[in-house]
Amino acid sequence: MGYISNGQDYTYGLKTKANMEAITGALEGETCYNTDYDRVHVYNGSFWMHEHLIEMTNNSGLTVSEGDVMILDTTQNGSMLRPTAIDQVIFGVVYEGGADASQVTLTMCGPCRINCNAAPNAGDQFVTIANSFAVTTDGVGNVGRGGCITDDSGGAGLNWALLVKREVF
Amino acid sequence: MSYKANSTTYGGKTKSQIASLTGMSQGDSVYNTDINRIEYYTGSIWANEDLVVCVIDSGGGTFSEGQCCHWVNDGTYQKAVALSQEVNSGEFAGIVYRGGTGAGTEIVVAWKGIYPVKFEGATTANFGVSLSSTTNGDNLSEGSVSVGHFGIVLETIGAAGNAKVLIGGIETF
């Protein structure tokens, strides 16, 4: 049986998300242990990925950053938009951002950092806002809730959340 | 084409054997043979892609495998959870996989995947699962899957205890 000693067999060892994204010359299939998310990432030739991320096109007309909430662009394949109304279905939360029309990665489910329009409380559920990449908290059970805030120490801005897809009807 | 077996720091181990490991470092890995998942050491607890790390809220108590818990706004701890009843379904965090005792103790809960869930009575395969209306942390199975259920029972048990459940998102209205 082969063993990896102390995680050092990851191609790039242990790195924060910022340091991981700053790596140059990575090859498809190489690995890194992300210490911010405590998750092994695999480089796909363009992005560092894990099992809850997908690669999509930012079609919002704006630059997006980690934590920004996106909805599906139903007019173009593989594209996403900024939410246009409250209670829309959250397609994903930006993990590695980028400029308009560029490829970015999105968290589809699981732990992530999410952009909050105002200081939330841990345990709050959240929904989209019209014309905003941020979410607002909502504890009364409206359609479109995307999960719960798990760590509110970020105040207005990035906070940890558990993104869980919920049925909407 | 030849293949190389997926190697891990500690090889294949049961959950119990994993709990007995010592001297781990952040990023170390082990294949958990009870749930067939590679798990990674965060520096303080073993977790995997189905699990989220949280802490027992200021209310304290003992959280055991299979119990359901929910996110709470705790004045002292972040990522704090408490044991749930039906009324807490909107803040559903998951099912305890690695439990503990005492306020501030780190635990992990499964928010998706196949894990043991504690039932307050007998349950039947293919039934939907919801939170108990009376007992914190316990769960019920209630016939066909419907609104408010967070998973599907995968094995029948004749009395109260733990049964495997496919855990998914919860729908609360």
Side-chain angles (χ1 to χ4, degrees):
Chain A
M1 182 185 297
Y3 292 94
I4 300 170
S5 64
N6 295 329
Q8 296 307 305
D9 220 29
Y10 304 120
T11 313
Y12 294 96
L14 280 59
K15 297 226 179 304
T16 64
K17 181 173 184 283
N19 288 338
M20 181 185 73
E21 291 171 358
I23 292 170
T24 56
L27 300 176
E28 186 175 3
E30 291 186 329
T31 57
C32 181
Y33 186 90
N34 181 323
T35 56
D36 290 329
Y37 281 76
D38 279 308
R39 181 152 292 169
V40 176
H41 288 56
V42 179
Y43 194 67
N44 71 358
S46 303
F47 291 98
W48 288 100
M49 305 293 286
H50 64 69
E51 57 271 21
H52 297 151
L53 300 177
I54 63 165
E55 190 177 337
M56 297 282 282
T57 302
N58 169 23
N59 202 27
S60 69
L62 299 164
T63 295
V64 296
S65 305
E66 182 185 10
D68 286 348
V69 171
M70 306 292 282
I71 62 170
L72 191 63
D73 180 357
T74 57
T75 67
Q76 294 200 48
N77 292 335
S79 295
M80 305 166 315
L81 299 170
R82 185 173 66 168
T84 56
I86 193 168
D87 291 343
Q88 288 181 304
V89 176
I90 296 173
F91 186 75
V93 177
V94 174
Y95 185 69
E96 186 169 346
D100 179 46
S102 68
Q103 293 294 102
V104 300
T105 58
L106 284 178
T107 301
M108 303 303 297
C109 58
C112 64
R113 288 189 282 219
I114 195 164
N115 183 2
C116 298
N117 75 324
N121 290 318
D124 284 345
Q125 298 166 74
F126 50 81
V127 295
T128 61
I129 310 169
N131 305 316
S132 174
F133 290 117
V135 292
T136 189
T137 56
D138 177 279
V140 296
N142 287 340
V143 170
R145 289 171 297 168
C148 285
I149 301 296
T150 61
D151 181 335
D152 59 19
S153 56
L158 288 182
N159 291 278
W160 283 98
L162 181 65
L163 183 65
V164 180
K165 297 294 183 183
R166 310 202 186 219
E167 281 193 45
V168 288
F169 52 88
Chain B
M1 182 183 294
S2 62
Y3 293 91
K4 179 182 177 183
N6 202 350
S7 57
T8 59
T9 315
Y10 294 97
K13 297 233 176 324
T14 65
K15 181 185 178 190
S16 175
Q17 290 171 325
I18 293 170
S20 298
L21 292 172
T22 57
M24 300 81 71
S25 298
Q26 187 179 28
D28 281 357
S29 57
V30 66
Y31 185 82
N32 184 327
T33 56
D34 287 335
I35 55 172
N36 297 318
R37 285 277 186 277
I38 294 177
E39 302 203 294
Y40 299 94
Y41 193 67
T42 66
S44 53
I45 200 165
W46 290 97
N48 67 49
E49 67 270 19
D50 298 332
L51 306 175
V52 61
V53 179
C54 41
V55 301
I56 296 173
D57 76 324
S58 294
T62 296
F63 289 44
S64 304
E65 180 183 86
Q67 290 186 295
C68 186
C69 54
H70 64 283
W71 302 109
V72 297
N73 182 25
D74 189 288
T76 304
Y77 301 109
Q78 296 290 350
K79 299 184 179 178
V81 292
L83 294 178
S84 307
Q85 287 187 15
E86 188 175 19
V87 293
N88 308 122
S89 59
E91 295 79 37
F92 177 79
I95 300 297
V96 176
Y97 183 62
R98 292 190 169 91
T101 300
T105 299
E106 202 170 48
I107 63 174
V108 291
V109 304
W111 56 276
K112 70 178 179 71
I114 298 173
Y115 290 88
V117 170
K118 183 185 179 199
F119 288 93
E120 60 184 25
T123 187
T124 303
N126 297 322
F127 276 18
V129 184
S130 66
L131 310 184
S132 169
S133 60
T134 56
T135 307
N136 286 346
D138 277 9
N139 302 280
L140 296 166
S141 62
E142 297 182 309
S144 300
V145 178
S146 64
V147 171
H149 292 171
F150 66 81
I152 301 171
V153 179
L154 298 182
E155 64 180 348
T156 297
I157 56 172
N162 283 5
K164 284 185 180 177
V165 167
L166 173 60
I167 301 166
I170 193 166
E171 189 192 313
T172 57
F173 49 90

